[in-house]
Amino acid sequence: MAHPLPQTLSIAPRGALTGTIAVPGDKSISHRALMFAALAVGTSRIAGLLEGEDVLATAAALRAMGATIERTGEGTWQVDGVGVGGLLQPTTALEMGNSGTSTRLLMGLVASHPITATFTGDASLSGRPMGRVIDPLAQMGADITASPGGKLPLMVRGLCPAVPISYTLPVASAQVKSAILLAGLNTPGITRVIEPVATRDHSERMLRGFGAELTIERTNEGRIIAIRGEAELKPQTITVPGDPSSAAFWLVAASIVPGSDIVVRNVGLNATRTGLIAALRLMGADITELDPRDVGGEPVADLRVRHTPLTAIDVPETLAPSMIDEYPVLFVAAAFAHGRTLARGAHELRVKESDRIAAMKAALEACGVAIEEFDDGLAITGTGGDPIPGGATVASLLDHRIAMSMTVAGLHAARPITIDDVAPVATSYPAFYTSLDALTGRA
């Protein structure tokens, strides 16, 4: 998948954000819905699927391994699965684009099937280490040949039957956990993952919904998730809730831009994903949950957000696993708070689509924000609600969350902020700038 030509964008204040929008379907759930449906026997239907480039890469890879996946309308898809153990040998390399989730989870799928798959990706993904997934899958018997540094391109030769393992996650990672559980689906016996720190639990919820025999035990070691292999998954009808990681940009934008008052509809509020909301509320943000409800087994609500002054905090490190993707935009919120915000405990940011700690430090510093860098986060001295100076050109580094976060920063800057490339935004939120136009009266 070739990266499109860079799209430079200059962002200046547009006034208050007002109105109501819906965010795209949750990316984590969208990936998993396609994968589990592809492993079920029969026809599954999915509504609200995120149609960004990352999820489409997952769909293309599953088609290459035998699943029939068709778009039947906007956000609605039909999947005819091949059954656990039924994946076919792909005839070409699986092109993952910029999607680390697609890569790591599909490596788990392939690891316990009698097939060989080569994974490739764009320049950003090819720089991301895959060792933390390679290690447990190799223990299960998969033969994995990676590029130097455990990076893409890499080849996975699955073993069938694979070997069940009991694996303690050395770093909190829902992707690694999910890759092991996916490999365990076609592995005889019981495969266990031990989580010392709980991570997002979409895989566990959905696997149970598809009929897998999965148990969760809370012990002094942490959460022990056990799955019985050689599973038979049953097709499902799924509604994907709105992505809290996408909603995060509007929560921060409305909080920092004076006069803003918005409602973001249908936001997933799984407790493993709400760290940013908790952090913003500690800073004094005015976020109200409207019409709380259950959608497809996930808690959902509409969120009303109104501008209010933010106060700096020491962000509790216990929130890190539930907001790891939201740290870049949290850094933006901190830039407008009163006082010095300390946000640490986020080592994982170093190995995302970019080094998000270094990337956000460079971008915000270029815009006049005072920042101190640590190995696991940043300390940011805010403006007390005044505009940041702005006036800089910043690098998105092929990272959609850096591009969107700095767009939010530009909405309350004294001088326009230019982002060198916003094309990567299409990987997760193709309608982001359309939504921005709608909330600022430019639609």
Side-chain angles (χ1 to χ4, degrees), residues 258-285:
S260 295
D261 185 351
I262 68 171
V263 173
V264 186
R265 297 197 309 269
N266 197 43
V267 181
L269 295 180
N270 183 303
T272 63
R273 302 286 301 281
T274 55
L276 178 75
I277 295 174
L280 289 175
R281 284 174 168 158
L282 288 173
M283 298 173 77

Side-chain angles (χ1 to χ4, degrees), residues 1 54 57 95-101 121-125 128 353 398-400 424 427:
M1 183 184 297
D54 283 6
E95 172 53 63
M96 298 289 96
N98 190 239
S99 182
T101 302
D122 68 10
S124 172
L125 182 61
R128 298 174 66 181
E353 283 84 335
L398 299 180
D399 190 330
H400 54 130
T427 64

Side-chain angles (χ1 to χ4, degrees), residues 331-424:
F331 297 149
V332 172
F336 295 93
H338 178 76
R340 180 178 182 268
T341 295
L342 181 64
R344 302 192 63 175
H347 299 86
E348 183 76 4
L349 295 181
R350 296 288 188 185
V351 292
K352 290 289 187 177
E353 283 84 335
S354 66
D355 178 339
R356 287 177 173 165
I357 294 173
M360 288 303 296
K361 178 179 186 288
L364 288 171
E365 269 193 338
C367 294
V369 180
I371 296 181
E372 182 181 359
E373 182 177 356
F374 303 95
D375 63 339
D376 60 347
L378 298 174
I380 300 173
T381 301
T383 64
D386 293 333
I388 61 173
T393 296
V394 301
S396 69
L397 301 177
L398 299 180
D399 190 330
H400 54 130
R401 299 203 192 279
I402 304 301
M404 288 185 282
S405 295
M406 292 310 299
T407 297
V408 171
L411 297 176
H412 196 38
R415 291 178 292 164
I417 295 174
T418 299
I419 303 165
D420 70 339
D421 187 8
V422 299

Side-chain angles (χ1 to χ4, degrees), residues 256-326:
I256 66 174
V257 178
S260 295
D261 185 351
I262 68 171
V263 173
V264 186
R265 297 197 309 269
N266 197 43
V267 181
L269 295 180
N270 183 303
T272 63
R273 302 286 301 281
T274 55
L276 178 75
I277 295 174
L280 289 175
R281 284 174 168 158
L282 288 173
M283 298 173 77
D286 184 352
I287 302 172
T288 304
E289 296 176 19
L290 308 175
D291 188 22
R293 55 201 184 272
D294 185 274
V295 175
E298 295 276 351
V300 166
D302 303 330
L303 299 180
R304 184 182 184 187
V305 192
R306 289 173 282 193
H307 169 259
T308 191
L310 300 180
T311 301
I313 62 169
D314 287 356
V315 180
E317 293 189 18
T318 54
L319 293 179
S322 62
M323 59 178 288
I324 197 68
D325 286 332
E326 288 75 70

Side-chain angles (χ1 to χ4, degrees), residues 134-303:
I134 292 173
D135 290 345
L137 296 182
Q139 290 181 32
M140 298 181 76
D143 180 8
I144 302 175
T145 304
S147 297
K151 298 176 182 179
L152 269 58
L154 61 76
M155 179 181 292
V156 179
R157 299 176 183 85
L159 177 67
C160 187
V163 180
I165 62 172
S166 181
Y167 187 79
T168 300
L169 295 178
V171 177
S173 173
Q175 292 182 2
V176 177
K177 171 180 66 177
S178 298
I180 299 168
L181 294 176
L182 284 164
L185 279 173
N186 197 42
T187 299
I190 305 294
T191 296
R192 293 179 177 85
V193 180
I194 302 166
E195 277 192 316
V197 178
T199 65
R200 59 186 63 175
D201 64 353
H202 303 305
S203 291
E204 296 95 304
R205 288 173 181 255
M206 295 187 71
L207 282 167
R208 281 175 166 170
F210 274 88
E213 187 178 329
L214 181 145
T215 62
I216 300 172
E217 182 183 1
R218 289 169 174 80
T219 71
N220 292 333
E221 297 178 84
R223 294 170 80 243
I224 301 178
I225 303 105
I227 191 165
R228 182 175 295 278
E230 298 180 311
E232 294 184 12
L233 302 189
K234 301 175 179 62
Q236 300 294 311
T237 297
I238 301 166
T239 299
V240 179
D243 193 338
S245 295
S246 296
F249 301 102
W250 308 125
L251 304 187
V252 172
S255 293
I256 66 174
V257 178
S260 295
D261 185 351
I262 68 171
V263 173
V264 186
R265 297 197 309 269
N266 197 43
V267 181
L269 295 180
N270 183 303
T272 63
R273 302 286 301 281
T274 55
L276 178 75
I277 295 174
L280 289 175
R281 284 174 168 158
L282 288 173
M283 298 173 77
D286 184 352
I287 302 172
T288 304
E289 296 176 19
L290 308 175
D291 188 22
R293 55 201 184 272
D294 185 274
V295 175
E298 295 276 351
V300 166
D302 303 330
L303 299 180

